[in-house]
Every structure is written in C-alpha cells, then in structure tokens.
Amino acid sequence: MEQSELLTGAAARDRVTSVTKKLPEVTLAFWIMKIAATTLGETAGDLFAQTLKLGYFLTTIVLFLMFVVTLAAQLGSRRYHPFFYWTVILSTSMAGTTMSDFMNRDASAKYLSGGATSLGWGPQGLGLGYPVGAAVLISILLVIFAVWKATGMTFQIREIVTFRGEALFWSAILVSNTLGTSMGDFLSDSSGLGYAGGALLVTGLLAVLVALMKVPVVPNVLLFWIAFVLTRPLGATAGDFLTKPVAKGGLNLGTVGSSAVLLAVLLGLMTYAQLRERRASA
C-alpha cells in the first residue's frame, strides 16, 4: 500500500473518530458550565421540592424521569451536541439534589422551607443522615468505576465513543452529583462553616487539584473525577447561599429568582458552546 493511501486511511479514521466523539473537551469553559449547571440543579431541585411543595419523593421521581428523557436524547445523538450534553448534566444535578435530600433527611420540620408544615405526596425522607448517605453513594460510585475498569474502556471522557462507555459515564455522573449534594449539604448544614464557608472550602480544594495537575505522578483522570465530584458541593453551597434566608447566612434571593438567573446564564453558555462546536466542525 502506498504512503498516500496510508495517509488517506488515517485521515478517514480521524474523521470517523471526531464524528463519534460525543463528550466535550475539558477546558476552563467546561468547568464554568459545570458549576453553573450544578448551582442551578440545587436551586431548581429545591424550587420543585420545597417552594412548590411537591416533596422530595415525588420530585425525585419526576426529575429522574427527566434525566432518562434527556439521556435518551444524548445517547441517540451521533456527535457531541452541547445542548444535549449540558441538559443531561443539569437533569442529573436536579435529580441528585432531591435524591440526596430524600436519602439523608426525614420528615421533621427542620428541613422544611419557611412557612411550610408539610411537603408533597409520599414519604419525605429515609433519614440516613449525611455520613451514612455519603458512604452508600461512595460505595455505589466505586462499584461503577470497578465495572468500568473491568471493561477495559478509557476513563478519558473525550475518548468515550461507545454506547456502553457512555452509559457507564452517565451512571457515574448521576451518582457523583448526588454524592456532591450530600457533601455540600453537610458543609452548609452540619459542619458549622455555613454556606459561604463551605463554598470557600471547596474552592480551596479545587485550587489544590489545579496545582496537582503539575505533578507528573498524579493521574489527570483521577484529578478530573475528584474535581467533578467537588464542583457539585460547590454548586450546592453556592445555591443555598443564594436562596436561604439572611438569618441562616444566605442572601434570601429565593429559588425562583435564583433559578431564573442561573438558567439564563447556563443557556447563554450553552449557546456559546454550540457556536464554537459548529465553527470547529466547519
């Protein structure tokens, strides 16, 4: 086979690979959108469960079904589509918020928003508490990663090109976002740091991860997944800081107004990402 034919074949394979890649590159813009999506997931989850008084149980069912619908659109696409991808991230963040609340909380009045005496239909919490809930979620996440590793598929998200790899990826995302919510609520409610203190602590940990990227012996894939989990409690504490009453250390902006502003920001970022992707594909 001539060299030109080899080059043509390599180029063709590169084109196929670029088409089948359905997950984004991990850049600064990626992390900004991730934090925006997870913060919106916190405020929107609380909006449905607490402000609208649907309750943790019913809201979890509705948001999990939303996750399934958005995931079907993502899995059915043939290339990376920012709106599909970030809509799934948002749905996992919202579902993760109420799934975490349902696991860790109970029906006592201390978890109700101001003026509420009860929440919607169904049981309102298993009452596991944040440490037990986090231990359960960490165990599930480790099982997912063990199965993932056993398949021999890559953990590099931009190189995930198979249906099975994507299914494992999104399973890990859903559990990690739920775990991150538990961590964020623990920092906000039980650690004594408060909303702003919890957000500052997580920001500091993320800064350490950025510094570790310069250390050759630390795998960047490991740092990515730790950062992915940690951006969720950052979003949770930031969301609570925006919505909770001033007496509790928040800004009291409310779940409706905060969610509307965050949604506008996320839609703007998604539009920008979509335009960049189109220019890159042109």
Side-chain angles (χ1 to χ4, degrees):
M1 185 178 293
E2 296 182 0
Q3 185 178 10
S4 60
E5 292 176 326
L6 288 171
L7 292 174
T8 301
R13 286 193 298 272
D14 288 342
R15 284 195 298 270
V16 171
T17 302
S18 66
V19 169
T20 55
K21 286 180 179 178
K22 296 169 56 180
L23 302 177
E25 294 183 9
V26 181
T27 62
L28 178 60
F30 172 91
W31 292 114
I32 292 173
M33 293 180 72
K34 171 63 164 58
I35 294 170
T38 53
T39 306
L40 176 56
E42 179 71 18
T43 60
D46 288 345
L47 169 63
F48 290 117
Q50 298 182 31
T51 305
L52 299 181
K53 301 180 183 179
L54 296 179
Y56 302 129
F57 182 70
L58 184 58
T59 303
T60 294
I61 294 175
V62 172
L63 293 179
F64 185 81
L65 292 176
M66 182 184 298
F67 161 68
V68 172
V69 172
T70 57
L71 179 59
Q74 166 67 22
L75 293 176
S77 66
R78 302 184 64 181
R79 61 179 179 83
Y80 170 56
H81 194 298
F83 278 97
F84 289 166
Y85 176 85
W86 289 106
T87 300
V88 185
I89 291 291
L90 176 59
S91 66
T92 61
S93 298
M94 291 191 297
T97 295
T98 53
M99 288 168 63
S100 170
D101 290 343
F102 181 76
M103 289 178 61
N104 299 324
R105 299 179 176 184
D106 53 38
S108 63
K110 68 178 181 178
Y111 293 117
L112 300 177
S113 58
T117 57
S118 64
L119 290 176
W121 177 82
Q124 289 314 310
L126 301 177
L128 298 180
Y130 297 126
V132 175
V136 170
L137 292 167
I138 289 172
S139 299
I140 295 173
L141 190 58
L142 290 176
V143 169
I144 292 172
F145 283 132
V147 172
W148 194 338
K149 184 173 179 59
T151 64
M153 290 183 290
T154 179
F155 287 99
Q156 296 279 4
I157 72 167
R158 190 63 177 175
E159 297 176 12
I160 297 174
V161 296
T162 65
F163 179 89
R164 183 169 59 170
E166 215 180 341
L168 287 167
F169 171 79
W170 287 114
S171 298
I173 295 300
L174 179 62
V175 177
S176 65
N177 274 336
T178 307
L179 171 62
T181 303
S182 297
M183 295 169 61
D185 287 341
F186 170 76
L187 290 174
S188 297
D189 300 336
S190 304
S191 69
L193 293 173
Y195 307 124
L200 288 174
L201 174 61
V202 177
T203 302
L205 293 174
L206 289 171
V208 171
L209 294 180
V210 172
L212 287 175
M213 291 177 62
K214 305 298 183 180
V215 181
V217 296
V218 182
N220 281 346
V221 172
L222 176 62
L223 294 177
F224 167 82
W225 282 105
I226 295 175
F228 203 96
V229 172
L230 285 178
T231 50
R232 184 64 187 95
L234 177 59
T237 51
D240 285 339
F241 179 65
L242 291 172
T243 60
K244 299 302 181 182
V246 175
K248 291 185 177 182
L251 295 179
N252 198 29
L253 299 180
T255 56
V256 176
S258 298
S259 297
V261 172
L262 288 166
L263 179 60
V265 170
L266 185 58
L267 287 174
L269 292 171
M270 290 165 64
T271 301
Y272 173 73
Q274 183 66 45
L275 293 174
R276 284 193 60 188
E277 190 67 20
R278 286 181 179 176
R279 286 196 294 266
S281 301

